[in-house]
Structures are given as C-alpha cells and as structure tokens.
C-alpha cells in the first residue's frame, strides 16, 4: 500500500467531498465536485493542489463544480465516457475496465448504471477502497433515475463482490433514514439492528456514518440482500428473480 491520504468533509446539504492525495507524486484528486469553493478551501487547508477531478456521474451535486475547480487549478477532468455529452470539458473519458492513475496509485473504472445511465465507480484495489458515488449507499442505494432495476441490481452485485474488507466511500449521508427503512424490510436481522443502533448514535454525536465496508453492507443492506430467503419470504417473493426482489425493495423505499 502507498501512503495515500483521504480527506472527507460534508458538502452542500448531505453530500460528502473526498480529496485523495498521493504524497509520492504530489498529486491530488477530488472525487466529484459538489461545491467548488468548499473543495478548494479543503485542499488549501491540507496544503494540497488538486491535479485531477474524478467524476462518477453527471448530476449537479457531483459535476457542478468541475469548471470552477479546473479554472482555479488546471486539474484534468476524468469522467464517464457514457456521459460525455452531459459533462462539459472532459479531458479523459473513461469506461469499464480502464485504469486511472494518481501517481502510481491505480483506480479501476467500473461501469455501474442504474442511478444514471452512465454512472461509474472508482475502485482502488491496491488500497482496498472504492468511491461509489450514488450507486451504493450505507444501508441503501441510489434512486433509479435513468436505469432499470436489473441494471442497478447487477451494479450493486458487482460492488458486493469486491473483497469484504473494501472500504466503501459513498457520496451522501443518508444512512439514518436508510436504516429506518431497512428495518422495515428486515426487522429481525441482528447485524442490521446493531448497525442501525451504531448509525443513530453516530448521527446523534454529529459524526459521519461514511465510509462503510462491503462486509457490513452484505450483512445489513437490504438492497444487496435480495437473494436472502428471509427477506424474500417477508415480501412474499420467495420464487421471484433477485432483480425483481430488488425492484420491490426499491419501490417500497421510494414510497417510504
Ligand atoms: Zn446523483
Ligand atoms: Fe448525488
């Protein structure tokens, strides 16, 4: 492992900003650009200069600060090729399987459609971390604005298949609301009960519940547990396809 430093801070109403810094090369990337001024101030406070912007998808709370950060720093904009027409000023358009480098630190691009049609995740296998944008949340997942339940189920399943210890950096602090919903779907799950109690306690202290881990989400997040027999029985979907079970959970969340 390298000496990669990660600086996480709240942005806008419920986003997180993430800066990652590689001391060996001096490079710094911002994962998405929810609030340009705030992100530039955080970089300055750390003594870092942003050299790259890594976008997960085109939504304003993820790419809205691109132009201002590029104007201030000259950073190169790395963004999903699938959303090329919707993210202005891309310098490097990336697709499934591509590698992006921060110095000698490699991020692999995973195509994870569902929330938007061209959403990508940056997985850093050498660091055991992944920046998942609005695909997976702690105890939740992104709304299906552009993709189908089948697409989102496949995307979440790929994230759940990363090594258990992978640290998952998602883009929003939605966890307490997600926990209340998750308990409505899977009330007898002890891992979920413990996870939820920890989340409420952290929020009461004003602490972040992000990042999470693949292991924690596999044990408690109903959106990645559509194959679980207890959840299926509760939803009366014992014989449905996993993606259909996922779709029903997502529908219930939208109406919760
Ligand atoms: Zn979004
Ligand atoms: Fe978002």
């Amino acid at each position: 492992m390298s000496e990669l430093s990660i600086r996480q801070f709240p942005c806008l109403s419920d986003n997180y900003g993430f800066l990652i810094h590689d001391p060996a090369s001096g490079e710094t990337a911002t994962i998405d650009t929810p609030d340009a001024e705030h992100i530039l101030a955080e970089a300055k406070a750390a003594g870092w200069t942003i050299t790259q912007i890594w976008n997960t998808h085109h939504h304003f709370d993820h790419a809205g600060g691109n132009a201002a950060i590029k104007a201030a720093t000259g950073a190169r904009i790395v963004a999903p090729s699938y959303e090329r027409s919707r993210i202005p000023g891309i310098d490097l358009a990336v697709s499934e399987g591509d590698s992006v480098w921060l110095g000698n630190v490699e991020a692999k691009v995973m195509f994870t459609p569902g929330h938007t049609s061209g959403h990508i995740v940056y997985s850093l296998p050498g660091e055991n971390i992944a920046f998942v944008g609005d695909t997976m949340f702690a105890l939740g997942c992104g709304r299906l604005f552009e993709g189908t339940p089948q697409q989102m189920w496949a995307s979440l399943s790929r994230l759940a298949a990363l090594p258990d210890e992978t640290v998952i950096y998602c883009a929003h602090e939605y966890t307490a609301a997600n926990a209340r919903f998750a308990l409505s779907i899977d009330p007898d799950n002890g891992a979920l009960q413990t996870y939820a109690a920890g989340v409420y306690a952290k929020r009461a202290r004003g602490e972040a519940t992000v990042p999470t881990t693949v292991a924690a989400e596999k044990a408690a997040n109903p959106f990645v547990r559509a194959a679980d027999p207890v959840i299926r029985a509760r939803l009366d979907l014992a014989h449905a396809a996993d993606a259909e079970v996922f779709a029903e959970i997502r529908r219930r969340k939208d109406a919760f």
Side-chain angles (χ1 to χ4, degrees), residues 57 59 61-62 115 134:
H57 65 295
H59 284 159
D61 62 315
H62 297 263
H115 177 67
D134 290 356

Side-chain angles (χ1 to χ4, degrees), residues 184-188 222 225-242 244-246 248-249 252:
S184 79
I185 296 291
D186 199 12
D188 300 326
R225 292 168 52 76
D228 180 74
V230 176
I231 290 181
R232 291 164 152 269
R234 266 198 89 83
L235 297 177
D236 234 346
L237 289 171
H239 304 292
D242 292 346
E244 289 172 46
V245 179
F246 166 77
E248 175 60 20
I249 298 170
R252 289 184 184 217

Side-chain angles (χ1 to χ4, degrees), residues 12 14-15 32 34 56-57 59-62 115 119 133-134 137 145 171-172 174:
L12 307 177
D14 51 36
N15 283 74
D32 287 328
T56 60
H57 65 295
H59 284 159
F60 190 77
D61 62 315
H62 297 263
H115 177 67
H119 195 295
D134 290 356
F137 293 127
F145 285 120
H172 290 271
Y174 291 154

